[in-house]
Amino acid sequence: METTNQEVMTLPRIGEAAPVFNAVTTQGPINFPSDYSGKWVILFSHPADFTPVCTSEFMTFASMEDEFRQYNCELVGLSVDGLYSHIAWLRTIKEKIEYKGMKNVEVNFPLIEDITMEVAKKYGMIQPGESNTKAVRAVFFIDPKGIIRAMIYYPLSLGRNFDELLRVIIALQTTDAFSVATPADWRPGDEVIIPTAGSCGVAKERMETKEEGKKCYDWFFCTKELSEKKVMAEIKKK
Ligand code: BEZ
């Protein structure tokens, strides 16, 4: 077999255990994902410290940290920069940057130093078509059992939509808590999808079963009402 010196890049997959690693962060050492057992965690990468898109993203993430915490969700950042660069950048953000009404922003969640790119490579964050030397903007949604439940990758030039990241966390927790699925653009309070049963016969029978708040568009597509109050009572920390 022909051998090449091209490195094998792994891409994590939905439904599989989050790759394990130990690292140094701005908040001390981290053992991932075991330190987050029992919590949801968003592990995300950014291309480089001291860059504008990343700065706008960090300020937004830091401003939303408490909101994510209300859903038992912690944040962990990563770039292939070193610890001293991370510390200097976060200090600059706090002391100097005022952006869209955010100022004096303190980033209290850990930011991983990954100068060897070991973690970035494990998580498929280095995508050579985009850059060999910087991580793309990856986002991994990891559940309390350490399983990857969703992931989103963005290119270097595209800042993330943080409302969407929060929406994904809320939707994942809702689907778990109520054994339902969520339709396009779902938000808490919108109708949810009743998962289709295994066979057409069962689904047809269920379509004919009357239930308050249930609506069937066809035998394979039934929804039911689920109030925002019920969703929040189940998933939001008191
Ligand atoms: C930025 O965060 O602004 C950025 C970083 C790397 C490449 C392009 C933009």
Side-chain angles (χ1 to χ4, degrees):
M1 193 169 43
E2 198 184 323
T3 54
T4 71
N5 61 4
Q6 202 185 354
E7 248 178 306
V8 178
M9 299 279 184
T10 54
L11 274 182
R13 287 184 284 218
I14 291 175
E16 293 185 354
V20 172
F21 64 84
N22 302 319
V24 170
T25 84
T26 49
Q27 304 287 326
I30 191 176
N31 302 303
F32 197 89
S34 56
D35 286 352
Y36 294 89
S37 175
K39 291 177 188 289
W40 287 80
V41 55
I42 293 180
L43 172 67
F44 68 99
S45 55
H46 71 274
D49 299 345
F50 292 102
T51 52
V53 178
C54 302
T55 300
S56 69
E57 290 190 320
F58 259 69
M59 294 182 77
T60 309
F61 242 149
S63 304
M64 291 176 72
E65 190 180 12
D66 284 348
E67 212 171 338
F68 280 98
R69 282 234 169 95
Q70 289 179 357
Y71 299 97
N72 189 29
C73 178
E74 299 292 325
L75 308 173
V76 179
L78 174 149
S79 83
V80 302
D81 299 289
L83 188 62
Y84 295 109
S85 164
H86 285 345
I87 291 168
W89 178 46
L90 299 186
R91 188 182 300 149
T92 303
I93 287 177
K94 178 169 161 46
E95 291 176 0
K96 295 198 179 150
I97 313 279
E98 181 172 351
Y99 172 71
K100 285 198 168 173
M102 297 179 278
K103 68 174 183 182
N104 210 15
V105 173
E106 204 160 333
V107 175
N108 293 315
F109 57 80
L111 174 50
I112 295 167
E113 82 156 359
D114 189 30
I115 34 185
T116 62
M117 298 193 190
E118 192 189 322
V119 181
K121 284 179 182 166
K122 274 189 181 178
Y123 276 82
M125 294 166 173
I126 303 297
Q127 305 204 356
E130 185 72 348
S131 172
N132 279 313
T133 56
K134 294 178 172 67
V136 296
R137 299 180 198 281
V139 190
F140 294 91
F141 302 83
I142 298 165
D143 76 13
K145 292 188 174 132
I147 303 296
I148 296 174
R149 299 291 300 278
M151 51 196 184
I152 313 178
Y153 290 92
Y154 299 74
L156 302 187
S157 57
L158 176 57
R160 286 163 272 216
N161 179 317
F162 288 80
D163 288 339
E164 170 63 1
L165 306 188
L166 185 61
R167 192 190 76 93
V168 171
I169 282 290
I170 293 172
L172 286 169
Q173 295 187 10
T174 300
T175 59
D176 284 359
F178 295 92
S179 303
V180 293
T182 52
D185 296 329
W186 178 85
R187 296 257 167 203
D190 292 349
E191 60 184 18
V192 290
I193 292 178
I194 306 168
T196 314
S199 80
C200 163
V202 177
K204 268 196 166 130
E205 187 187 303
R206 215 183 25 185
M207 184 177 166
E208 278 143 27
T209 314
K210 297 265 178 289
E211 198 187 306
E212 196 169 310
K214 192 174 91 173
K215 197 178 346 168
C216 283
Y217 300 87
D218 204 331
W219 63 267
F220 62 91
F221 186 3
C222 293
T223 63
K224 65 177 180 182
E225 287 169 8
L226 180 58
S227 70
E228 180 170 1
K229 198 171 160 198
K230 269 193 186 158
V231 169
M232 292 306 155
E234 195 62 38
I235 70 171
K236 202 168 177 180
K237 276 201 203 162
K238 308 300 172 296

Coordinates of all heavy atoms in Angstrom, one line a residue, residues 57-67 102-103 105-106 109:
E57 N -17.0 37.6 19.2 CA -17.7 36.3 19.6 C -17.4 36.1 21.1 O -18.3 35.7 21.9 CB -17.1 35.2 18.8 CG -17.5 35.1 17.4 CD -17.1 33.8 16.8 OE1 -16.0 33.3 17.0 OE2 -17.9 33.3 16.0
F58 N -16.2 36.4 21.6 CA -15.9 36.1 23.0 C -16.6 37.0 23.9 O -17.1 36.6 24.9 CB -14.3 36.2 23.2 CG -13.7 34.9 23.3 CD1 -13.6 34.1 22.2 CD2 -13.3 34.4 24.5 CE1 -13.1 32.8 22.3 CE2 -12.8 33.1 24.6 CZ -12.7 32.3 23.5
M59 N -16.8 38.3 23.4 CA -17.6 39.2 24.2 C -19.0 38.8 24.3 O -19.6 38.9 25.4 CB -17.4 40.6 23.7 CG -16.0 41.2 23.8 SD -15.8 42.8 23.1 CE -16.5 43.8 24.5
T60 N -19.5 38.3 23.2 CA -20.9 37.8 23.2 C -21.1 36.6 24.1 O -22.0 36.5 24.9 CB -21.4 37.5 21.8 OG1 -21.0 38.7 21.0 CG2 -22.9 37.3 21.7
F61 N -20.2 35.6 23.9 CA -20.3 34.4 24.7 C -20.2 34.7 26.2 O -21.0 34.2 27.0 CB -19.1 33.4 24.3 CG -19.6 32.1 23.8 CD1 -18.9 31.4 22.8 CD2 -20.8 31.5 24.2 CE1 -19.3 30.2 22.3 CE2 -21.3 30.3 23.7 CZ -20.5 29.7 22.8
A62 N -19.2 35.6 26.6 CA -19.0 35.9 28.0 C -20.2 36.6 28.5 O -20.6 36.3 29.7 CB -17.8 36.8 28.2
S63 N -20.9 37.4 27.7 CA -22.1 38.2 28.2 C -23.2 37.2 28.4 O -24.2 37.5 29.1 CB -22.5 39.2 27.2 OG -21.4 40.1 27.0
M64 N -23.2 36.1 27.7 CA -24.3 35.1 27.8 C -24.0 33.9 28.7 O -24.8 33.0 28.8 CB -24.6 34.6 26.4 CG -25.2 35.6 25.4 SD -25.4 34.9 23.8 CE -26.8 33.8 24.0
E65 N -22.9 34.0 29.4 CA -22.5 32.8 30.2 C -23.6 32.4 31.2 O -23.9 31.2 31.4 CB -21.1 33.0 30.9 CG -20.6 31.8 31.5 CD -19.3 32.0 32.2 OE1 -18.8 33.1 32.4 OE2 -18.7 30.9 32.5
D66 N -24.1 33.5 31.9 CA -25.1 33.2 32.9 C -26.4 32.6 32.3 O -27.0 31.7 32.9 CB -25.5 34.5 33.6 CG -24.4 34.9 34.6 OD1 -23.5 34.0 34.9 OD2 -24.5 36.0 35.1
E67 N -26.7 33.0 31.1 CA -27.9 32.5 30.4 C -27.7 31.0 30.1 O -28.6 30.2 30.3 CB -28.1 33.3 29.1 CG -29.6 33.4 28.8 CD -29.8 34.4 27.6 OE1 -28.9 35.3 27.4 OE2 -30.8 34.2 26.9
M102 N -21.5 46.3 25.1 CA -20.8 45.4 26.0 C -19.4 46.0 26.4 O -18.7 46.4 25.5 CB -20.5 44.0 25.4 CG -21.7 43.2 25.0 SD -21.4 41.7 24.2 CE -21.1 42.1 22.5
K103 N -19.2 46.2 27.7 CA -17.9 46.7 28.1 C -17.5 46.1 29.4 O -18.3 45.6 30.1 CB -17.9 48.2 28.1 CG -18.7 48.9 29.2 CD -18.4 50.4 29.1 CE -19.2 51.1 30.2 NZ -19.0 52.5 30.2
V105 N -15.9 43.5 29.9 CA -16.4 42.1 29.8 C -15.3 41.1 30.3 O -14.1 41.1 29.7 CB -16.8 41.7 28.3 CG1 -17.1 40.2 28.2 CG2 -18.0 42.5 27.9
E106 N -15.6 40.4 31.3 CA -14.6 39.4 31.8 C -15.0 38.0 31.3 O -16.1 37.6 31.5 CB -14.8 39.5 33.4 CG -13.5 39.0 34.0 CD -13.4 39.5 35.5 OE1 -14.0 40.6 35.8 OE2 -12.8 38.8 36.3
F109 N -14.9 31.8 31.6 CA -14.9 30.4 31.3 C -13.5 30.0 30.8 O -12.8 30.9 30.3 CB -16.0 30.0 30.3 CG -16.0 30.8 29.0 CD1 -15.1 30.5 28.0 CD2 -16.8 31.9 28.8 CE1 -15.1 31.3 26.8 CE2 -16.8 32.7 27.7 CZ -15.9 32.3 26.6

